[in-house]
Amino acid sequence: MERPGDDIQALIALMARLPGLGPRSARRIVLHLIRKRTGQMTELAGLLDSVATHSRECLVCGNITDRDECAICTDPSRATGEICVVEDVADLWALERGHVFKGRYHVLGGTLSALDEIGPDELGIPALIDRVHRDGAAEVILALNATVEGQTTAHYIAEALEGSEVTVTGLAQGVPIGGELDYLDDGTITAALRARRRL
Amino acid sequence: MERPGDDIQALIALMARLPGLGPRSARRIVLHLIRKRTGQMTELAGLLDSVATHSRECLVCGNITDRDECAICTDPSRATGEICVVEDVADLWALERGHVFKGRYHVLGGTLSALDEIGPDELGIPALIDRVHRDGAAEVILALNATVEGQTTAHYIAEALEGSEVTVTGLAQGVPIGGELDYLDDGTITAALRARRRL
């Protein structure tokens, strides 16, 4: 009795579970795709299938790739001795869009969390420490989110690397570009003030 | 040099062109899918492919279906003599979700528009008139959007059906359920007042 055919119904239900989408936006997208079923929809199905089949995690850094090691880990020009530690691949992509960092990455895949029973082993922190020593890295940049979990994790990694030759750094905290003081939280203003610099 | 592999990049670009999505939400969805690549992503690819291959327009009413005629047009219990004319399939789905209308539909696929050179023939209005007469329909409900284009189209169809036996009706206009007068536009308030009814 359901009006949109079974497959269409299932497709809408599946789409509605994607992050940021709901039943209404899923219906809109599915109808749009059905209108373009010979072009965009077929292309999307093919790409999804291809990415689902071929993508996996880089054995070295955890980035998404279609080979054993990702393009960054195999690019000799990026052997700068800097390893940038990020929570997940989205953060790696965000940093890459900045085109500033020229070293390599290490994707943790999360943050330490006692509640969720995620400890150093679950995040592969021992593997990171090994890698830092094996590569003879000069600097480890902890580009973790400025949340309690992110900073706890950063602190743990910094401690684990203490006593070794490597320099451990973190991202600067302060007023974001274009940010208006009036709209910033107190913590950010305090951090920006404490880390003020001579102009 | 691009970081997300070529296919992933293409997938994000394609997703970003879907209605309501942009580069940021597309990236978020693609990353989510890659994390669930053996489950949700493969399933989504399969469903998209299946719907793209099998869905087409009902030869009678224009609804989306996987057969020559849709489930509504072939359901004998829906031969009530009422034909509900809607702009597109999204409107048909919206009416079906209401579970109130028990007749059949006719999907125009748009509205009359001099600017876009969409005339009665492009919308299949002659076919609708033929169908109304052939089916011996008792009532044609013009469930078109309450926009200038929708109402122009409704007016055109009503005129084309003038002189025949069929009753032509339109949706009631007024205050939406849960609507607050303070937030309604003047046109709606005026329409609701003009069409006021005895309680």
Side-chain angles (χ1 to χ4, degrees):
Chain A
M1 273 306 293
E2 72 292 26
R3 223 41 57 218
D6 286 344
D7 272 0
I8 297 178
Q9 200 75 280
L11 180 58
I12 293 172
L14 197 60
M15 280 267 186
R17 275 165 41 211
L18 295 179
L21 298 184
R24 186 180 290 263
S25 44
R27 276 198 300 270
R28 197 162 151 230
I29 288 175
V30 168
L31 259 182
H32 167 93
L33 284 171
I34 290 177
R35 284 197 200 100
K36 314 211 161 188
R37 55 188 171 274
T38 52
Q40 223 178 339
M41 194 172 198
T42 313
E43 199 185 339
L44 185 59
L47 277 173
L48 279 168
D49 187 58
S50 159
V51 171
T53 311
H54 298 117
S55 65
R56 48 200 160 128
E57 279 158 24
C58 170
L59 296 174
V60 177
C61 75
N63 187 11
I64 301 285
T65 174
D66 52 5
R67 284 164 295 177
D68 279 347
E69 296 190 13
C70 75
I72 299 177
C73 285
T74 52
D75 180 351
S77 78
R78 300 200 58 149
T80 60
E82 295 159 322
I83 296 182
C84 182
V85 179
V86 292
E87 265 181 50
D88 65 30
V89 177
D91 301 332
L92 187 158
W93 289 2
L95 282 159
E96 282 299 290
R97 284 198 298 280
H99 296 293
V100 169
F101 181 65
K102 294 298 178 201
R104 286 177 179 158
Y105 293 92
H106 196 91
V107 181
L108 293 177
T111 46
L112 295 175
S113 165
L115 264 181
D116 301 327
E117 297 188 357
I118 297 178
D121 288 330
E122 280 72 29
L123 295 182
I125 293 181
L128 166 63
I129 309 293
D130 280 353
R131 181 182 166 200
V132 168
H133 292 139
R134 196 176 58 240
D135 292 7
E139 181 176 356
V140 169
I141 303 167
L142 300 172
L144 301 172
N145 290 335
T147 56
V148 173
E149 298 78 20
Q151 293 310 304
T152 308
T153 310
H155 196 251
Y156 181 91
I157 297 174
E159 281 211 329
L161 287 168
E162 224 163 64
S164 65
E165 289 289 290
V166 69
T167 309
V168 180
T169 57
L171 295 183
Q173 295 196 318
V175 182
I177 306 300
E180 297 183 47
L181 293 193
D182 199 15
Y183 291 95
L184 282 178
D185 61 299
D186 300 351
T188 302
I189 293 186
T190 308
L193 198 63
R194 282 215 188 110
R196 67 188 176 278
R197 60 209 167 84
R198 197 180 281 276
L199 298 176
Chain B
M1 273 305 295
E2 73 291 24
R3 223 43 57 218
D6 286 344
D7 271 0
I8 298 179
Q9 202 73 281
L11 180 58
I12 292 172
L14 198 60
M15 281 266 186
R17 273 164 44 211
L18 295 178
L21 299 184
R24 184 181 291 263
S25 43
R27 275 198 302 269
R28 196 162 151 230
I29 289 175
V30 169
L31 259 181
H32 167 91
L33 285 171
I34 290 178
R35 284 195 199 102
K36 315 212 160 189
R37 54 187 171 275
T38 52
Q40 223 178 342
M41 194 174 198
T42 312
E43 199 185 340
L44 184 59
L47 277 173
L48 279 168
D49 187 57
S50 160
V51 171
T53 311
H54 298 117
S55 67
R56 47 201 160 129
E57 278 158 24
C58 170
L59 295 174
V60 178
C61 75
N63 187 12
I64 301 286
T65 174
D66 52 6
R67 286 166 293 178
D68 278 348
E69 296 189 13
C70 76
I72 300 177
C73 285
T74 51
D75 180 351
S77 77
R78 300 200 59 150
T80 60
E82 294 160 322
I83 296 181
C84 182
V85 179
V86 292
E87 265 179 51
D88 65 29
V89 176
D91 300 332
L92 187 159
W93 290 1
L95 282 158
E96 283 298 290
R97 284 197 299 280
H99 296 291
V100 170
F101 181 65
K102 295 298 178 201
R104 288 178 177 156
Y105 292 92
H106 196 92
V107 181
L108 293 178
T111 47
L112 294 175
S113 165
L115 264 182
D116 300 328
E117 297 188 357
I118 298 179
D121 289 330
E122 279 73 27
L123 295 182
I125 292 180
L128 166 63
I129 309 292
D130 281 353
R131 182 183 166 197
V132 168
H133 293 141
R134 195 176 61 240
D135 292 6
E139 181 177 356
V140 169
I141 303 167
L142 300 173
L144 300 172
N145 290 334
T147 56
V148 173
E149 298 78 19
Q151 294 310 302
T152 307
T153 310
H155 196 251
Y156 181 92
I157 297 174
E159 280 212 329
L161 287 169
E162 223 163 64
S164 64
E165 289 288 290
V166 69
T167 309
V168 180
T169 57
L171 295 183
Q173 294 196 316
V175 183
I177 307 299
E180 297 182 48
L181 294 192
D182 198 14
Y183 291 93
L184 283 178
D185 62 299
D186 300 351
T188 302
I189 293 186
T190 307
L193 197 64
R194 283 216 187 108
R196 66 188 177 279
R197 61 210 168 83
R198 195 180 283 276
L199 298 177

